[in-house]
Amino acid sequence: FAISVPIAIALCLASMVGLFGFTTLPAIILPQQIFIALDKFPLAAIPFFILAGNLMEAGGMSRRLVEFARAFVGPVQGGLAATCVLTCMMFSAISGSSIATMFAVGTVMIPAMRQYGYPVGFTAALMAVSAELGVIIPPSIPMILYGVATQTSIPALFLAGVLPGLLIAGALLVTVLIWCRLRGWGKRDGDARLDRWTATRRAIWALLMPLLIMGGIYGGVTTPTEASIIAVAYALLVGFVLHREM
């Protein structure tokens, strides 16, 4: 780390030094163990969920989620900050990735919050914390990794993350609304927002995506990996055919 080697390579190098320098194990064990660790069907869900999140951003679905959340909480002082939390919560229920959530929602929310006078530090901190809802709200990529590593049921882990995720999101909402009122931020957050019916109609396809993913998993129709592939196909369909923005 001290010489700026990437983390993944540093961990690999440290393991190789320990393996070859301080043990008598044959070298063939290294590629065997790497292959065994990666040869797991549930791990394929990770790149597909991230891809689905990126396709949503490219196809206009993330922007419509922002419009939907803002239509309902925008009139309140600090409503734009609350919109950031709500949108990240909804997007996390699709991508399962904090990084994908940060990228897709942040490209819309950060310029908007800066335009309405929110400080840079608060905007960056709120976006970072809100995006971390992707760790706990299913389909969570860290939960997939944990389930694979410990042989724990991934659908059961997803189910266990729903209530804590909603509680964290609720706590964030209350905090930002109180803080914005105390600091005097967000008094014009209701300007130029869509009415609720129009925003809901525009976001309907994006809102159906979490239901499609989690309904398939909990209904016993799909595995998490299959659900991730369906999410990619759905995002492509919406982006190309329905929204026509890809």
Side-chain angles (χ1 to χ4, degrees), residues 84 88 98 101-102 110 121-134 172:
C84 179
C88 285
S98 297
T101 301
M102 170 70 79
I110 292 175
F122 175 79
T123 301
L126 177 64
M127 192 66 241
V129 173
S130 300
E132 283 302 315
L133 288 169
L172 284 173

Side-chain angles (χ1 to χ4, degrees), residues 30-228:
L30 182 62
Q32 285 178 343
Q33 290 303 312
I34 290 175
F35 181 81
I36 291 171
L38 293 176
D39 188 27
K40 293 180 172 62
F41 183 65
L43 288 178
I46 296 173
F48 281 113
F49 275 129
I50 294 175
L51 176 59
N54 290 333
L55 290 173
M56 284 185 64
E57 194 278 332
M61 295 172 75
S62 59
R63 188 182 70 253
R64 286 168 169 79
L65 285 177
V66 171
E67 293 173 349
F68 171 79
R70 192 178 178 198
F72 283 85
V73 298
V76 181
Q77 182 176 343
L80 202 57
T83 298
C84 179
V85 177
L86 283 177
T87 308
C88 285
M89 181 184 71
M90 291 185 289
F91 198 89
S92 295
I94 299 167
S95 70
S97 167
S98 297
I99 296 174
T101 301
M102 170 70 79
F103 174 76
V105 180
T107 53
V108 180
M109 287 304 309
I110 292 175
M113 292 183 68
R114 294 294 297 126
Q115 178 183 349
Y116 281 83
Y118 285 89
V120 174
F122 175 79
T123 301
L126 177 64
M127 192 66 241
V129 173
S130 300
E132 283 302 315
L133 288 169
V135 173
I136 188 70
I137 292 179
S140 165
I141 287 174
M143 287 185 181
I144 295 173
L145 291 171
Y146 179 86
V148 169
T150 63
Q151 300 298 307
T152 305
S153 168
I154 294 175
L157 289 172
F158 284 175
L159 189 60
V162 173
L163 184 57
L166 293 176
L167 288 172
I168 294 170
L172 284 173
L173 281 172
V174 172
T175 301
V176 298
L177 289 175
I178 293 175
W179 189 247
C180 288
R181 186 169 292 274
L182 291 175
R183 303 291 290 185
W185 299 332
K187 294 181 179 179
R188 298 186 299 110
D189 284 359
D191 296 351
R193 65 187 180 88
L194 298 176
D195 65 88
R196 294 178 178 179
W197 166 247
T198 301
T200 303
R201 180 174 53 82
R202 285 171 55 85
I204 188 65
W205 299 113
L207 294 172
L208 288 175
M209 198 168 180
L211 298 178
L212 179 69
I213 295 171
M214 304 316 297
I217 295 173
Y218 295 134
V221 180
T222 64
T223 66
T225 304
E226 292 164 348
S228 69

